[in-house]
Coordinates of all heavy atoms in Angstrom, one line a residue:
P1 N -9.7 13.3 -12.3 CA -8.6 12.6 -12.9 C -8.3 12.9 -14.3 O -9.3 13.2 -15.1 CB -9.0 11.1 -12.6 CG -10.5 11.2 -12.5 CD -10.8 12.5 -11.9
F2 N -7.1 12.8 -14.7 CA -6.8 13.0 -16.2 C -7.4 11.9 -17.0 O -7.4 10.7 -16.6 CB -5.3 13.0 -16.4 CG -4.6 14.2 -15.8 CD1 -3.9 14.1 -14.7 CD2 -4.6 15.4 -16.5 CE1 -3.2 15.2 -14.1 CE2 -4.0 16.5 -16.0 CZ -3.3 16.4 -14.8
P3 N -8.0 12.2 -18.1 CA -8.7 11.2 -18.9 C -7.7 10.2 -19.4 O -6.6 10.6 -19.8 CB -9.3 12.0 -20.1 CG -8.6 13.3 -20.1 CD -8.2 13.6 -18.7
G4 N -8.0 8.9 -19.4 CA -7.2 7.9 -19.9 C -6.2 7.3 -18.9 O -5.6 6.2 -19.1
L5 N -6.1 7.9 -17.7 CA -5.2 7.4 -16.7 C -6.0 6.4 -15.8 O -7.2 6.6 -15.6 CB -4.7 8.5 -15.8 CG -3.7 9.4 -16.4 CD1 -3.2 10.5 -15.4 CD2 -2.5 8.7 -17.0
P6 N -5.3 5.4 -15.3 CA -6.1 4.4 -14.5 C -6.5 5.0 -13.2 O -5.9 5.9 -12.6 CB -5.0 3.3 -14.2 CG -3.7 4.0 -14.4 CD -3.9 5.0 -15.5
D7 N -7.6 4.5 -12.6 CA -8.1 5.0 -11.3 C -7.8 4.0 -10.2 O -8.5 4.0 -9.2 CB -9.6 5.4 -11.4 CG -10.5 4.2 -11.8 OD1 -9.9 3.1 -12.1 OD2 -11.7 4.4 -12.0
T8 N -6.9 3.1 -10.5 CA -6.5 2.1 -9.5 C -4.9 2.1 -9.4 O -4.2 2.6 -10.3 CB -7.0 0.7 -9.8 OG1 -6.4 0.3 -11.1 CG2 -8.5 0.7 -10.0
F9 N -4.4 1.5 -8.4 CA -3.0 1.2 -8.2 C -2.9 -0.2 -7.7 O -3.8 -0.8 -7.1 CB -2.3 2.2 -7.3 CG -2.6 2.0 -5.9 CD1 -1.7 1.4 -5.0 CD2 -3.8 2.5 -5.3 CE1 -2.0 1.3 -3.7 CE2 -4.1 2.4 -4.0 CZ -3.2 1.7 -3.2
D10 N -1.7 -0.8 -7.9 CA -1.5 -2.2 -7.4 C -0.9 -2.1 -6.0 O 0.3 -1.7 -5.8 CB -0.5 -2.9 -8.4 CG -1.1 -3.3 -9.7 OD1 -2.4 -3.3 -9.7 OD2 -0.4 -3.6 -10.6
G11 N -1.7 -2.5 -5.0 CA -1.2 -2.3 -3.7 C -1.6 -3.6 -2.9 O -2.1 -4.6 -3.4
Y12 N -1.3 -3.5 -1.6 CA -1.5 -4.6 -0.7 C -2.7 -4.3 0.3 O -2.6 -3.4 1.1 CB -0.3 -4.9 0.1 CG 0.9 -5.4 -0.7 CD1 1.9 -4.4 -1.1 CD2 1.1 -6.7 -1.1 CE1 3.0 -4.8 -1.8 CE2 2.2 -7.1 -1.8 CZ 3.1 -6.1 -2.2 OH 4.2 -6.5 -3.0
L13 N -3.8 -4.9 0.1 CA -5.0 -4.7 0.9 C -4.8 -5.4 2.3 O -4.6 -6.6 2.3 CB -6.2 -5.1 0.2 CG -7.5 -4.8 1.0 CD1 -7.7 -3.3 1.1 CD2 -8.7 -5.4 0.3
R14 N -4.9 -4.6 3.4 CA -4.7 -5.2 4.7 C -6.1 -5.6 5.3 O -7.1 -5.0 4.9 CB -4.0 -4.2 5.6 CG -2.6 -3.8 5.1 CD -1.7 -5.0 4.8 NE -0.4 -4.6 4.3 CZ 0.5 -5.4 3.8 NH1 0.2 -6.7 3.7 NH2 1.7 -4.9 3.5
P15 N -6.1 -6.5 6.3 CA -7.4 -6.9 6.8 C -8.2 -5.7 7.4 O -9.5 -5.8 7.5 CB -7.0 -7.9 7.9 CG -5.7 -8.4 7.5 CD -5.0 -7.3 6.8
D16 N -7.6 -4.6 7.9 CA -8.3 -3.5 8.4 C -8.8 -2.6 7.4 O -9.4 -1.5 7.7 CB -7.5 -2.7 9.4 CG -6.2 -2.1 8.8 OD1 -6.0 -2.2 7.6 OD2 -5.4 -1.5 9.6
G17 N -8.7 -2.9 6.1 CA -9.2 -2.1 5.0 C -8.2 -1.1 4.5 O -8.4 -0.5 3.4
R18 N -7.1 -0.9 5.1 CA -6.1 0.1 4.6 C -5.2 -0.6 3.6 O -5.2 -1.8 3.4 CB -5.2 0.6 5.8 CG -6.0 1.4 6.8 CD -5.0 2.1 7.8 NE -4.3 1.1 8.5 CZ -3.2 1.3 9.3 NH1 -2.7 2.5 9.3 NH2 -2.7 0.3 9.9
A19 N -4.5 0.2 2.8 CA -3.7 -0.4 1.7 C -2.2 0.0 1.9 O -1.9 1.2 2.3 CB -4.2 0.1 0.4
G20 N -1.3 -0.9 1.6 CA 0.1 -0.6 1.6 C 0.6 -0.6 0.2 O 0.1 -1.2 -0.7
T21 N 1.6 0.3 0.0 CA 2.3 0.3 -1.3 C 3.5 -0.6 -1.4 O 4.0 -0.9 -2.4 CB 2.7 1.8 -1.7 OG1 3.6 2.2 -0.6 CG2 1.5 2.7 -1.8
R22 N 3.9 -1.1 -0.2 CA 5.0 -2.0 -0.1 C 4.6 -3.2 0.9 O 3.7 -3.0 1.7 CB 6.3 -1.4 0.4 CG 6.8 -0.3 -0.6 CD 8.1 0.3 -0.1 NE 8.1 0.9 1.2 CZ 7.7 2.2 1.3 NH1 7.3 2.9 0.3 NH2 7.7 2.8 2.5
N23 N 5.2 -4.3 0.8 CA 5.0 -5.4 1.6 C 6.3 -5.8 2.3 O 7.0 -6.7 1.8 CB 4.4 -6.6 0.8 CG 3.8 -7.7 1.7 OD1 3.2 -7.4 2.8 ND2 4.0 -8.9 1.4
E24 N 6.6 -5.2 3.4 CA 7.9 -5.3 4.1 C 7.7 -6.0 5.4 O 6.6 -6.0 6.0 CB 8.6 -4.0 4.2 CG 8.8 -3.3 2.9 CD 9.3 -1.9 3.0 OE1 9.1 -1.3 4.1 OE2 9.8 -1.3 2.0
V25 N 8.8 -6.5 6.0 CA 8.8 -7.0 7.3 C 9.7 -6.0 8.1 O 10.8 -5.7 7.8 CB 9.4 -8.4 7.4 CG1 9.6 -8.8 8.9 CG2 8.4 -9.4 6.8
W26 N 9.1 -5.5 9.2 CA 9.8 -4.5 10.1 C 10.2 -5.1 11.4 O 9.4 -5.9 12.0 CB 8.9 -3.3 10.3 CG 8.7 -2.5 9.0 CD1 9.2 -2.8 7.8 CD2 7.8 -1.3 8.9 NE1 8.8 -1.8 6.9 CE2 7.9 -0.9 7.5 CE3 7.0 -0.6 9.7 CZ2 7.3 0.2 7.0 CZ3 6.4 0.5 9.2 CH2 6.5 0.9 7.9
I27 N 11.3 -4.7 11.9 CA 11.8 -5.1 13.2 C 11.8 -3.9 14.1 O 12.6 -3.0 13.8 CB 13.2 -5.8 13.1 CG1 13.2 -6.9 12.0 CG2 13.7 -6.3 14.5 CD1 14.6 -7.4 11.7
I28 N 11.0 -3.8 15.1 CA 10.8 -2.7 15.9 C 11.3 -2.9 17.3 O 10.8 -3.7 18.0 CB 9.3 -2.3 16.0 CG1 8.7 -2.2 14.6 CG2 9.1 -1.0 16.7 CD1 9.2 -1.1 13.7
P29 N 12.3 -2.2 17.8 CA 12.8 -2.3 19.2 C 11.9 -1.5 20.1 O 11.4 -0.4 19.7 CB 14.2 -1.7 19.1 CG 14.2 -0.7 18.0 CD 13.2 -1.2 17.0
T30 N 11.6 -2.0 21.3 CA 10.8 -1.2 22.2 C 11.7 -0.2 23.0 O 11.2 0.7 23.6 CB 10.2 -2.1 23.3 OG1 11.2 -2.9 24.0 CG2 9.2 -3.1 22.6

């Protein structure tokens, strides 16, 4: 990593351990 840059980002941690960059509601047709 470039010196001085943060090694984190502000995201949404999900219960399964994955992270989202957005927190949206999706409507999915079958």
Side-chain angles (χ1 to χ4, degrees):
F2 289 104
L5 290 180
D7 57 2
T8 63
F9 73 101
D10 288 341
Y12 298 96
L13 184 63
R14 303 305 184 190
D16 63 2
R18 294 187 299 163
T21 57
R22 297 186 297 276
N23 191 39
E24 300 169 343
V25 171
W26 291 358
I27 308 170
I28 310 292
T30 60

